[in-house]
Amino acid sequence: MVQEYDIIVVGAGPGGLSAGIFIARQKTPCLVISKDLGGQLNLIPKLENYPGTMMSSGQLLAKTLENQFLVFGGEITYDTVEKIDEAESGLKIKTSRTEYLAKAVVLAPGKVPNSLGLSNETQFANKGVHYCTKCDAPFYQGRSTATVGVGGYLVESGILLSRMASKVYLIYKGAALGGDKDLIESIKKKENVELIPQSSVKSISGANSLQQITLLDNSGNEKTINVDGLFIEMGSKINLDFVKHLVTINQKGEIEVTEGGKTTHIAIFAAGDATNIPYKQIISACGDGAAAGLSAFNHVEKLRGKPGIRADWKKTIGDTVFHY
Ligand SMILES: Cc1cc2nc3c(=O)[nH]c(=O)nc-3n(C[C@H](O)[C@H](O)[C@H](O)COP(=O)(O)OP(=O)(O)OC[C@H]3O[C@@H](n4cnc5c(N)ncnc54)[C@H](O)[C@@H]3O)c2cc1C
């Protein structure tokens, strides 16, 4: 038998779990379907910029969000959503194992950073190798770094690192840098940045953490340099094949959302890194997840002929309960 929920959330990263918390707290049947718990949070061993927590890690935050969701009566299942389609009374969600029906869906499938594809790359992840310069550059104050990547991502990474690191090697395959012209001019003037064009990273090595990277240039010459950190800015993948026929997706492959996480489909809401928000950070994914969750709840309330709420808190004056 096909299981039914009022609201199904795709993704158990910070965006999806925050949506789930706000939905479940309204005592509305809600299922989170996710490939894993935490998403990109699993790539963050030391979390410094999530307000209200000190000495935290991404995994700890993921576990806390999951517990909070379950305490409010939410359900979670580990599975992959393969297709979402219109159904007579809402939406049909097909996963790799089964099918569900829901009145509304919140999409929070996030993204996955592209790797360089080096054989020992995962061994050095967070031990000198990083995939998010704006998240991890502050760990390299006064240290030697390299950044490799494409287009604007690379230039922005170099600018950020140049403000903190003692040295930044900027490695790129082409002859010229791509992206914003003003930023390119600015990075060329930075004294601690050395441009290494027409080159790629051939291998990385170190004892417990990264120590050296070996570069290969277009003429076949190799050069090994000592660095404490390597930032890989090769963009990231957002996979929306399962829902692209139902919502508008922009040229960057992100779901177009407006206020409250609304998409172009009346019963589908979205939050987090898979959407067109400018700053892809945990705090934004959580805030937008909460908003998308409340919008989905209000959509379901409207179907029931109820007015919905404006925020997740209420006030009692005398015998009357006011919902905001
Ligand atoms: C290396 C690294 C370090 C970072 N450091 C920081 C930091 O210090 N501070 C900060 O604020 N931000 C940091 N970020 C960014 C932050 O992790 C993201 O902004 C945030 O995780 C986005 O949350 P999300 O819920 O949108 O997506 P994600 O965290 O990507 O989660 C998406 C979830 O959806 C699931 N999913 C995807 N598709 C499907 C499907 N079809 N079916 C079922 N499940 C699916 C995934 O398995 C995953 O669980 C970092 C990112 C990286 C890569």
Side-chain angles (χ1 to χ4, degrees):
M1 206 180 82
V2 178
Q3 290 183 68
E4 286 189 48
Y5 288 84
D6 277 0
I7 303 170
I8 283 185
V9 177
V10 183
L17 289 171
S18 299
I21 288 168
F22 276 74
I23 296 162
R25 206 161 168 262
Q26 298 302 323
K27 306 213 179 309
T28 294
C30 173
L31 175 72
V32 170
I33 307 173
S34 189
K35 292 184 202 171
D36 63 5
L37 173 65
Q40 293 170 78
L41 292 184
N42 294 302
L43 304 172
I44 313 171
K46 195 170 165 208
L47 182 55
E48 286 196 328
N49 64 356
Y50 187 76
T53 63
M54 298 285 282
M55 307 297 289
S56 189
S57 72
Q59 278 182 330
L60 185 59
L61 180 62
K63 199 68 208 150
T64 312
L65 290 170
E66 185 201 32
N67 284 339
Q68 211 173 347
F69 172 59
L70 296 175
V71 161
F72 292 128
E75 290 176 46
I76 192 160
T77 185
Y78 291 99
D79 198 351
T80 300
V81 173
E82 292 181 341
K83 192 95 191 281
I84 301 180
D85 277 313
E86 303 275 5
E88 218 171 279
S89 58
L91 295 155
K92 184 173 77 184
I93 297 96
K94 186 186 172 310
T95 71
S96 53
R97 289 205 298 267
T98 186
E99 276 184 13
Y100 300 91
L101 284 172
K103 296 186 179 79
V105 164
V106 176
L107 303 170
K111 61 186 172 71
V112 181
N114 292 324
S115 68
L116 282 180
L118 302 172
S119 59
N120 58 351
E121 198 171 323
T122 48
Q123 181 191 325
F124 289 103
N126 293 314
K127 291 178 182 156
V129 169
H130 299 269
Y131 298 88
C132 177
T133 311
K134 60 177 172 286
C135 310
D136 297 339
F139 299 126
Y140 288 85
Q141 301 278 352
R143 299 169 77 193
S144 176
T145 60
T147 177
V148 59
V150 289
Y153 297 116
L154 177 67
V155 176
E156 282 172 29
S157 167
I159 297 267
L160 268 174
L161 285 169
S162 71
R163 294 187 193 134
M164 303 178 197
S166 57
K167 176 82 186 178
V168 184
Y169 298 98
L170 204 85
I171 304 152
Y172 47 104
K173 274 214 167 124
L177 286 166
D180 183 274
K181 285 196 176 71
D182 291 340
L183 287 182
I184 293 173
E185 282 318 304
S186 155
I187 202 156
K188 283 180 177 168
K189 290 182 194 141
K190 302 265 180 192
E191 284 182 2
N192 60 344
V193 176
E194 184 175 331
L195 304 185
I196 309 188
Q198 300 187 310
S199 297
S200 56
V201 177
K202 188 185 170 217
S203 61
I204 56 179
S205 59
N208 295 322
S209 59
L210 183 75
Q211 287 170 311
Q212 283 105 24
I213 60 173
T214 299
L215 308 179
L216 178 69
D217 73 16
N218 283 2
S219 314
N221 301 313
E222 287 187 17
K223 179 166 97 172
T224 298
I225 50 178
N226 294 333
V227 291
D228 300 309
L230 172 66
F231 287 80
I232 298 169
E233 288 288 355
M234 309 289 291
S236 46
K237 279 187 285 288
I238 301 177
N239 189 350
L240 298 170
D241 287 352
F242 64 94
V243 72
K244 66 182 181 197
H245 52 294
L246 294 180
V247 296
T248 299
I249 291 167
N250 69 16
Q251 286 188 332
K252 290 184 186 166
E254 303 160 330
I255 306 162
E256 288 275 0
V257 286
T258 54
E259 203 188 26
K262 289 184 187 124
T263 71
T264 42
H265 190 290
I266 192 165
I268 302 181
F269 304 84
D273 279 15
T275 68
N276 59 331
I277 55 164
Y279 304 110
K280 316 277 190 202
Q281 298 275 268
I282 301 165
I283 182 75
S284 318
C286 290
D288 292 347
L294 288 175
S295 296
F297 169 73
N298 280 342
H299 173 74
V300 172
E301 286 288 270
K302 210 168 156 190
L303 295 177
R304 292 183 186 120
K306 293 185 179 173
I309 54 171
R310 281 198 285 138
D312 179 28
W313 51 278
K314 55 193 173 191
K315 190 165 152 187
T316 308
I317 300 176
D319 294 336
T320 314
V321 178
F322 294 91
H323 286 268
Y324 290 88

